[in-house]
Amino acid sequence: MCGIVGAIRSANHNVVEFLTDGLKRLEYRGYDSSGIAVLMDGKIKRVRRVGRVANMEAAAHDKGVSGQIGIGHTRWATHGGVTEPNAHPHISGDKIAVVHNGIIENFEAERSRLRELGYEFESQTDTEVISHSVRHEYEQNGGDLFVAVQAACKRFHGAYAIAVMAQDNSQNMVVARMGCPLLVAFGEGETFIASDVSAVIAFTRQISYLEDGDVALLQAGSFVKLVNKNGEDVQREVKTSGLSLASLELGAYNHFMQKEIHEQPRAVADTAEVFLDGGFIPENFGKNAPQVFQEIDSIKILACGTSYYSALTSKYWLESIAKIPTDVEIASEYRYRDVIANPKQLIITISQSGETLDTMEALKFAQSLGHKHSLSICNVMESALPRNSELVLYTRAGAEIGVASTKAFTTQLVVLFGLAVTLGRMHGLVSDEKLAAYTQELRELSGSIQHALNLEPQIAAWAQKFAKKSSALFLGRGIHYPIALEGALKLKEITYIHAEAYPAGELKHGPLALVDENMPVVVIAPHDGLLDKVKANMQEVSARGGELFVFTDLDSDYEGGVDNIHIIRTPRHVGVLSPIVHTIPVQLLAYHTALARGTDVDKPRNLAKSVTVE
Ligand code: G6P
């Protein structure tokens, strides 16, 4: 995790303005401490603070820090606690300053080596081996920063995106990338670097993405030198980013999560467009997809967090619509067990960010075992997962900034539904009538989501009750069980209320013991073939004095009928896409409960959006 920025700005701009603005936009990557280093009057001036970037910004302002060249970092602690000495940048001998995103796995061996060479360590971080190592090479190589970074990187095992500056070089900065995202952006006579395009977009749209193994020497306005992992001179294309600044701003909303929940009708419609305009055809997934989809005999989906729950949901569609055996696995589990590889199995990775390390490593593991075919479903263009996959279909959710994922989830579901229909159609399992019905359901999805959003006042009223609870149970059956899981995850993440989800039929095998008048039980109970079963499960809760909060739809005949049963109805049952619509109420419930409890909705404690560590 962590986010890095850096810039060489023109004479009339103070680099601190970019560094602090860029770091604020990268806070989703980690937000426990931050720091900047700026070359000022021939010396490296560093400011670091525990807490949010705003604390550090105020301190930099008080100290009057200014200059043209500088680097910055926002941290999510891995090696060493959340303290100022552990915050980046790390400086060696007042000469070399480094910011780093990633993990140097062999840092202990490197630390011993550098200690023997006389270097002293001030932090518990793995990053400090980079600053000392670069300084060592810098002194050995006659002050050539580019050569020094290249030499130092050769020693590191692990993942990194780094930016390095030297006290005696006010013109240049060196950056290197291995396994963590890094881009270089160019303005007029200016150069910026960042972990993510959102940090630079207010300053320039001219972006060049580095590849793994690249090392670049930068000056204001251009690359001076750029080499790949073999040390060969290369060029990386400069593209114009289409990301809009408005998509990164709160606008009329109080929180990004609130904005992102309300953007879902638009995000889902944009994502569905590929199928609604182009049809359910394999080419949507890449030019090789027609052949790949013919060759495969099964699917394995690898993902983490909310993306894992979208995978679980899609298993129902893939097996019922396309009749293709589908196995879903948490990426961090898959990569560490003996698996039986099947070259005919399509590996699908699902990820909002496209850079979750566990998912990336799981994909590499599958490929190393001989899995030939891979598809990435991802929200971030040019990120690691799509770049390493044979096929890709991007969700069009737009930038998601709130740590708790919302619109990424519903748009992933749209793509996965589209995949199921595409595969079903290819294999002759979806008739023309069925296809027309699916198309119509997808066309109406945005409107149904909007109806669900209109339930917000009723859900906000429920949230007042939830805010006083310390635990909650979520129940669902069939394809709505993963939605119960997602509802429990949302509540945990942003309200810190303990929440668990169960398939409703499992209640009697254990969790029923938890039910009493203090345990709210949320039930996803749409009018589907399992409603009668769910009704029986709800009786089991009522009979034990439990308080039920039921999300159902107008078509369902469920009346509750007892005092401690509360019901909210979506306007009508929306068929096969019902899990997408039923996601909205559980998102809103978590959001309003967090508001009532006064927690930090967009940046919940201990979490980060982009998890680039194991
Ligand atoms: C983190 C985020 C979650 C997200 C998960 C997977 O834990 O806080 O919201 O679902 O990572 O992220 P990905 O980017 O791979 O979907």
Side-chain angles (χ1 to χ4, degrees):
M1 359 260 266
C2 306
I4 67 168
V5 290
I8 311 167
R9 301 217 61 186
S10 55
N12 47 350
H13 287 115
N14 181 0
V15 73
V16 175
E17 174 209 8
F18 164 72
L19 297 177
T20 51
D21 185 75
L23 288 178
K24 283 183 188 164
R25 294 185 193 278
L26 293 184
E27 271 189 317
Y28 74 87
R29 304 179 68 84
Y31 37 81
D32 58 39
S33 48
S34 65
I36 56 172
V38 172
L39 203 55
M40 188 174 168
D41 305 325
K43 292 206 165 66
I44 295 175
K45 186 94 183 160
R46 175 170 63 179
V47 183
R48 298 181 292 179
R49 286 292 180 274
V50 164
R52 299 291 158 80
V53 172
N55 297 351
M56 187 275 294
E57 182 183 27
H61 183 262
D62 290 350
K63 288 171 186 271
V65 180
S66 74
Q68 266 64 62
I69 181 166
I71 54 180
H73 185 272
T74 181
R75 180 168 189 249
W76 186 86
T78 55
H79 294 64
V82 180
T83 63
E84 213 168 284
N86 286 335
H88 301 215
H90 290 284
I91 295 182
S92 183
D94 293 331
K95 288 186 176 162
I96 296 287
V98 171
V99 287
H100 166 221
N101 167 211
I103 287 182
I104 303 301
E105 285 167 3
N106 59 335
F107 80 101
E108 277 159 335
E110 274 294 283
R111 186 180 280 184
S112 310
R113 182 183 73 88
L114 289 158
R115 275 206 176 112
E116 276 170 27
L117 289 167
Y119 291 90
E120 286 174 15
F121 285 78
E122 294 169 354
S123 78
Q124 297 144 335
T125 65
D126 52 333
T127 302
E128 212 181 341
V129 302
I130 306 180
S131 48
H132 289 321
S133 193
V134 171
R135 179 178 144 211
H136 185 69
E137 298 296 342
Y138 193 62
E139 287 168 357
Q140 301 285 307
N141 288 285
D144 187 327
L145 193 59
F146 184 67
V147 171
V149 173
Q150 272 188 299
C153 285
K154 287 206 175 89
R155 309 191 75 96
F156 305 144
H157 303 161
Y160 52 83
I162 58 174
V164 187
M165 55 185 249
Q167 171 261 326
D168 56 3
N169 189 339
S170 62
Q171 308 296 316
N172 301 113
M173 177 178 296
V174 176
V175 294
R177 172 193 170 163
M178 179 63 79
C180 291
L182 186 61
L183 59 85
V184 180
F186 299 104
E188 267 186 34
E190 305 193 293
T191 297
F192 305 88
I193 69 100
S195 301
D196 169 4
V197 66
S198 62
V200 300
I201 207 74
F203 295 80
T204 179
R205 296 188 167 278
Q206 303 308 307
I207 314 290
S208 181
Y209 291 91
L210 297 190
E211 303 267 335
D212 274 350
D214 283 359
V215 184
L217 175 66
L218 306 168
Q219 66 181 19
S222 64
F223 285 114
V224 182
K225 219 170 161 30
L226 174 58
V227 296
N228 66 10
K229 60 176 183 290
N230 303 320
E232 298 152 352
D233 289 328
V234 283
Q235 296 201 326
R236 301 287 174 226
E237 199 184 341
V238 180
K239 298 178 187 167
T240 304
S241 169
L243 189 69
S244 82
L245 192 55
S247 70
L248 305 173
E249 308 284 352
L250 268 178
Y253 294 96
N254 297 316
H255 298 100
F256 281 105
M257 183 180 181
Q258 180 194 26
K259 178 180 181 228
E260 287 155 11
I261 289 173
H262 283 271
E263 280 173 347
Q264 286 175 110
R266 194 270 312 144
V268 156
D270 286 355
T271 305
E273 207 176 77
V274 66
F275 303 109
L276 294 177
D277 288 359
F280 293 88
I281 53 168
E283 286 80 357
N284 289 330
F285 297 85
K287 69 175 181 341
N288 293 344
Q291 184 204 333
V292 172
F293 288 175
Q294 288 297 349
E295 272 179 36
I296 58 169
D297 66 1
S298 58
I299 291 176
K300 180 181 288 288
I301 314 184
L302 303 167
C304 304
T306 287
S307 297
Y308 170 69
Y309 294 146
S310 75
L312 281 184
T313 313
S314 73
K315 177 180 164 78
Y316 292 84
W317 287 324
L318 288 161
E319 295 200 341
S320 67
I321 300 172
K323 305 268 179 260
I324 180 150
T326 302
D327 185 18
V328 177
E329 199 161 340
I330 289 178
S332 57
E333 285 295 307
Y334 172 76
R335 57 182 288 215
Y336 289 116
R337 68 182 186 86
D338 288 334
V339 294
I340 300 163
N342 168 8
K344 286 189 155 185
Q345 187 171 54
L346 175 67
I347 297 287
I348 301 182
T349 55
I350 307 177
S351 175
Q352 188 285 129
S353 62
E355 58 168 326
T356 301
L357 188 98
D358 282 323
T359 312
M360 189 62 222
E361 291 302 322
L363 172 63
K364 286 188 194 158
F365 179 58
Q367 287 168 336
S368 74
L369 295 176
H371 280 279
K372 279 198 301 186
H373 300 309
S374 56
L375 162 66
S376 157
I377 296 171
C378 185
N379 195 41
V380 177
M381 296 280 190
E382 298 284 346
S383 53
L385 279 163
R387 283 151 67 116
N388 287 283
S389 301
E390 184 183 21
L391 307 175
V392 58
L393 186 51
Y394 287 103
T395 47
R396 296 189 194 161
E400 192 183 68
I401 293 166
V403 163
S405 186
T406 52
K407 61 179 180 171
F409 179 72
T410 44
T411 53
Q412 286 165 356
L413 289 178
V414 168
V415 169
L416 289 157
F417 174 72
L419 176 67
V421 176
T422 304
L423 290 170
R425 186 76 179 158
M426 274 182 86
H427 296 116
L429 298 164
V430 174
S431 64
D432 290 349
E433 295 73 46
K434 253 317 195 199
L435 188 69
Y438 289 147
T439 305
Q440 191 56 22
E441 277 163 7
L442 198 53
R443 218 178 276 294
E444 290 175 4
L445 181 60
S446 285
S448 304
I449 290 177
Q450 191 53 57
H451 282 308
L453 285 168
N454 295 343
L455 301 170
E456 190 162 5
Q458 292 162 257
I459 297 170
W462 280 10
Q464 300 307 315
K465 290 172 177 271
F466 275 74
K468 300 188 191 95
K469 305 286 183 184
S470 54
S471 277
L473 264 181
F474 284 68
L475 304 177
R477 285 196 88 136
I479 197 166
H480 294 92
Y481 164 52
I483 307 308
L485 285 165
E486 174 61 4
L489 178 63
K490 288 289 88 97
L491 197 71
K492 274 185 273 218
E493 282 179 307
I494 62 168
T495 72
Y496 318 144
I497 294 173
H498 170 243
E500 280 190 76
Y502 274 90
E506 271 293 290
L507 197 59
K508 54 193 173 296
H509 298 296
L512 199 54
L514 296 169
V515 170
D516 62 13
E517 65 282 4
N518 297 316
M519 173 69 87
V521 181
V522 180
V523 191
I524 320 288
H527 179 70
D528 63 10
L530 291 167
L531 182 60
D532 286 341
K533 304 280 176 207
V534 177
K535 281 187 199 166
N537 302 138
M538 289 193 280
Q539 291 291 348
E540 293 160 10
V541 173
S542 291
R544 276 132 193 114
E547 191 171 12
L548 284 160
F549 295 83
V550 183
F551 291 113
T552 187
D553 46 49
L554 269 186
D555 293 342
S556 120
D557 58 356
Y558 182 67
E559 295 293 348
V562 193
D563 278 355
N564 58 355
I565 300 182
H566 315 275
I567 301 176
I568 290 182
R569 289 179 198 277
T570 55
R572 64 187 179 87
H573 184 57
V574 292
V576 71
L577 297 177
S578 164
I580 304 184
V581 176
H582 276 85
T583 303
I584 312 302
V586 296
Q587 294 171 343
L588 287 170
L589 182 62
Y591 175 70
H592 284 282
T593 307
L595 283 192
R597 285 169 72 95
T599 51
D600 190 336
V601 172
D602 285 334
K603 298 189 183 79
R605 68 184 181 202
N606 306 339
L607 302 180
K609 188 154 190 68
S610 218
V611 184
T612 55
V613 296
E614 264 198 69

